[in-house]
Amino acid sequence: AGNRDQHYPEVFEGTALDIARALKGADEALSNVAYVHYVLTVPVKRKVVWYGESIAKPVSLRDYWATIDRLHYWTAGRLDVCTKKAG
């Protein structure tokens, strides 16, 4: 039927899958900042602008980093739950 070793770049695997699961239920600001910060490969000043555009309001550099901080706490607080092995 199919090759078990196929890789699909649009499918989350490993740590990316853990993070995606941890972000479930996060508000739009956290989801957007996660994408902008960790996926886009542009300078931080441009990320701040794009993040602000994604939530339809201007964002300062300080607010951007505060949201990244909140993202880290949100994710860290859910990673153990998402990655814990049943047993």
Side-chain angles (χ1 to χ4, degrees), residues 18-65:
D18 295 339
I19 298 298
R21 287 177 176 160
L23 282 172
K24 282 191 174 196
D27 62 31
E28 184 178 17
L30 291 184
S31 296
N32 289 358
V33 82
Y35 176 80
V36 168
H37 191 72
Y38 290 105
V39 176
L40 301 181
T41 55
V42 297
V44 170
K45 287 185 179 184
R46 186 68 193 134
K47 291 179 182 194
V48 171
V49 172
W50 285 354
Y51 170 61
E53 290 172 355
S54 79
I55 60 170
K57 71 177 190 178
V59 175
S60 70
L61 186 60
R62 181 181 180 147
D63 289 341
Y64 176 83
W65 287 115

